[in-house]
Amino acid sequence: MADAATYTDKGKPFERDMTYIPDRLRAGDEPADPLEGAYGADPDAPSWPVEPGRYRLVAAKACPWANRAIIVRNLLGLEDVISLGMPGPTHDARSWTFDLDPGGVDPVLGIERLQEAYFNRVPDYPRGITVPAIVEVETVKVVTNDFPWITHDFFFEWREHHRADAPDLWPADSREEMEAVMKRVFTEVNNGVYRCGFAGSQEAYDAAYERLFAALDWLEKRLTDRRYLMGEAITEADVRLFTTLARFDAVYHGHFKCNRNKLIEMPALWGYARDLFQTPGFGETIDFEQIKAHYYRVHTDVNPTGIVPQGPDESGWTTPHGRG
């Protein structure tokens, strides 16, 4: 997400703007997801057809919300049907830019700024230019930036294009419990670290801090006697938690003042995070240098000097996790 646009007014708690372009990519012949209506999807949102090669996922490695989409694309084997464009880790108030590509231009979309794809769809688009975003290649128009539903639809709507051994990221027998777990992970952990980092007052920060670590303690306990959040198999819930855990010690502990303890000091969570990091599809999407550059350079209100720390030591991520 374009976090520079989400700072909180002084004295107020942080609130994330969750208004996105609601369009969906739908296969048409897939049965409707029975739980969609309960979890925020707009049933009347415009639909775009599932069509290999038609869309490009634009997702910066630096961003945890975009990182989810990259991981799910990898796990499901969608690399050959949905291309991937990756902006650099830093951006200004206008937009993410493709400064990692030759000439600073995305080689497929032919644009320098993701903002161009938004403006092609909605001239003078008034909200933040966020990642992940699905862009139609031919028109270079953004289709949707509704990040929770992008990964949902990768699973449910693109099944015909999954690889044969793709994991069942949304198991039917535990779906309702998983939705509840993901809701708590989002509100208290994924968003909780931002609630700490962008708190507009001491009171707001203190409350956010207590909420975050209460949730991390709950997760530590939950993961003490199970390998993954829902049991013995990886699900979407694990993807959503992992991207925050991967950034915790490098960014959130210091930059966002989430400093009761580090991830490496929570045995179950640290083992769990290493287990996922070492699973194909996860660890290769993590670039700690890009992550640190994004947070420490873009969030100038939090870190006005722009200095990027050298640590922490990353070697622990590849040590045995003991959770097999």
Side-chain angles (χ1 to χ4, degrees):
M1 291 185 182
D3 297 324
T6 60
Y7 288 110
T8 303
D9 292 339
K10 187 172 179 61
K12 295 181 180 180
F14 167 74
E15 293 185 12
R16 182 174 296 282
D17 181 0
M18 290 293 290
T19 304
Y20 299 101
I21 299 171
D23 294 22
R24 305 283 296 279
L25 301 180
R26 294 187 182 277
D29 56 352
E30 288 290 329
D33 177 354
L35 290 178
E36 277 192 9
Y39 293 95
D42 179 357
D44 298 320
S47 295
W48 298 62
V50 165
E51 184 179 312
R54 181 169 177 170
Y55 307 103
R56 187 161 177 82
L57 169 66
V58 178
K61 280 188 172 184
C63 171
W65 319 95
N67 196 176
R68 295 180 180 186
I70 300 172
I71 292 171
V72 171
R73 174 179 173 271
N74 288 354
L75 293 176
L76 299 179
L78 295 174
E79 297 96 326
D80 292 336
V81 296
I82 303 171
S83 66
L84 177 63
M86 291 190 289
T90 59
H91 59 76
D92 57 24
R94 289 173 57 198
S95 179
W96 296 84
T97 57
F98 295 97
D99 49 292
L100 300 179
D101 292 308
V105 175
D106 180 272
V108 172
L109 301 176
I111 56 178
E112 296 180 353
R113 290 177 173 273
L114 180 57
Q115 184 184 57
E116 297 175 56
Y118 277 75
F119 285 175
N120 288 342
R121 174 75 188 279
V122 182
D124 298 321
Y125 182 75
R127 314 192 84 86
I129 306 300
T130 63
V131 290
I134 299 291
V135 178
E136 187 178 38
V137 173
E138 182 177 358
T139 62
V140 195
K141 292 181 178 180
V142 67
V143 173
T144 183
N145 60 343
D146 197 346
F147 71 95
W149 293 98
I150 288 174
T151 54
H152 172 282
D153 291 347
F154 279 178
F155 181 79
F156 284 99
E157 304 296 335
W158 292 77
R159 289 189 194 207
E160 181 182 346
H161 306 285
H162 292 182
R163 68 163 177 258
D165 61 346
D168 183 0
L169 296 179
W170 297 78
D173 60 354
S174 57
R175 174 72 188 279
E176 291 195 49
E177 181 190 3
M178 189 178 86
E179 292 277 8
V181 169
M182 291 194 300
K183 183 176 181 180
R184 187 170 183 183
V185 166
F186 171 71
T187 59
E188 305 304 299
V189 181
N190 300 148
N191 205 41
V193 293
Y194 285 84
R195 195 180 294 115
C196 289
F198 292 159
S201 69
Q202 185 69 50
E203 181 181 18
Y205 165 74
D206 290 345
Y209 177 98
E210 294 299 328
R211 285 178 63 178
L212 170 64
F213 282 99
L216 289 175
D217 288 340
W218 165 69
L219 288 165
E220 176 74 7
K221 183 177 180 180
R222 184 179 181 92
L223 289 164
T224 297
D225 59 1
R226 64 179 74 197
R227 186 171 182 181
Y228 305 113
L229 283 174
M230 302 310 301
E232 294 305 307
I234 291 170
T235 66
E236 172 89 8
D238 298 299
V239 176
R240 295 185 178 197
L241 177 57
F242 172 76
T243 59
T244 295
L245 297 183
R247 289 157 175 78
F248 199 88
D249 288 1
V251 174
Y252 303 142
H253 179 271
H255 183 59
F256 278 177
K257 307 178 183 68
C258 303
N259 61 356
R260 189 194 73 177
N261 54 258
K262 296 178 181 178
L263 174 65
I264 62 172
E265 296 165 347
M266 303 187 80
L269 274 168
W270 177 223
Y272 163 83
R274 300 199 318 275
D275 188 0
L276 291 174
F277 184 89
Q278 294 168 33
T279 299
F282 285 85
E284 66 266 30
T285 72
I286 300 299
D287 187 316
F288 289 109
E289 294 307 309
Q290 287 196 39
I291 289 168
K292 290 189 294 183
H294 172 68
Y295 283 90
Y296 286 101
R297 288 183 179 148
V298 172
H299 299 165
T300 54
D301 284 11
V302 179
N303 185 42
T305 67
I307 294 172
V308 179
Q310 292 192 34
D313 181 5
E314 301 163 13
S315 62
W317 284 95
T318 56
T319 60
H321 52 75
R323 295 179 64 83

